Every structure is written in structure tokens, then in C-alpha cells.
């Protein structure tokens, strides 16, 4: 099982660049990533893996992923 520690990033300038939705996306992504920080990059798989009970579009998930890329978090 992956070993994760979520730290307080309330003062992170990179995290501050994200919308609230992208921050939730990033938090859920951390919970799913393996010990090497790897996980799927396909928006369809991200939507189903990170938000299985939410009615979201792949476009929304892809937008959040792009925000995280722009902020250099992933």
C-alpha cells in the first residue's frame, strides 16, 4: 500500500494559484497516486477514479488537471 502524508499547504503560492475545484482534484489525486507519485493522466480515468460519485464532465477534470500542470504541481 502506498505511504502518503498530506501536509498543510495553506500558505503555498502554487496551491493558491488553483481554483477550489482544482485544489480538490489535486488532493484526491494525491490519495490515489502510488509511492512514486504516478497515476493515470487520461481525463476519463481521472474522472472515474477521483470522482466516482460526482456528475462531472471530462472537460472539467481536464481543466483542473491543466491548472495543476500550470501551477507546476504535477
Amino acid at each position: 500500500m502506498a505511504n502518503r502524508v498530506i501536509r498543510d499547504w495553506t500558505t503555498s503560492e502554487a496551491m493558491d494559484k488553483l481554483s477550489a475545484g482544482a485544489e480538490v482534484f489535486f488532493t484526491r489525486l494525491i490519495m490515489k497516486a502510488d509511492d512514486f507519485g504516478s497515476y493515470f493522466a487520461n481525463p476519463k480515468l481521472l474522472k472515474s477514479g477521483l470522482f466516482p460519485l460526482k456528475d462531472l464532465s471530462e472537460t472539467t477534470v481536464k481543466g483542473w488537471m491543466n491548472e495543476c500542470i500550470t501551477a507546476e504541481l504535477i
Side-chain angles (χ1 to χ4, degrees), residues 4-73:
R4 298 170 193 87
V5 176
I6 296 183
R7 305 203 185 281
D8 176 8
W9 54 57
T10 54
T11 58
S12 166
E13 290 187 28
M15 291 297 288
D16 190 54
K17 293 177 184 177
L18 300 179
S19 65
E23 188 169 342
V24 170
F25 168 86
F26 183 72
T27 304
R28 289 182 180 214
L29 182 62
I30 287 174
M31 290 188 286
K32 292 288 188 175
D34 66 16
D35 286 339
F36 301 100
S38 298
Y39 197 67
F40 303 106
N42 179 324
K44 184 180 238 179
L45 295 174
L46 287 167
K47 180 197 168 307
S48 66
L50 304 182
F51 300 96
L53 302 177
K54 301 286 185 196
D55 185 23
L56 299 170
S57 70
E58 289 175 38
T59 304
T60 298
V61 172
K62 188 173 184 176
W64 291 335
M65 179 175 68
N66 287 333
E67 282 187 58
C68 291
I69 291 169
T70 301
E72 299 181 347
L73 293 167

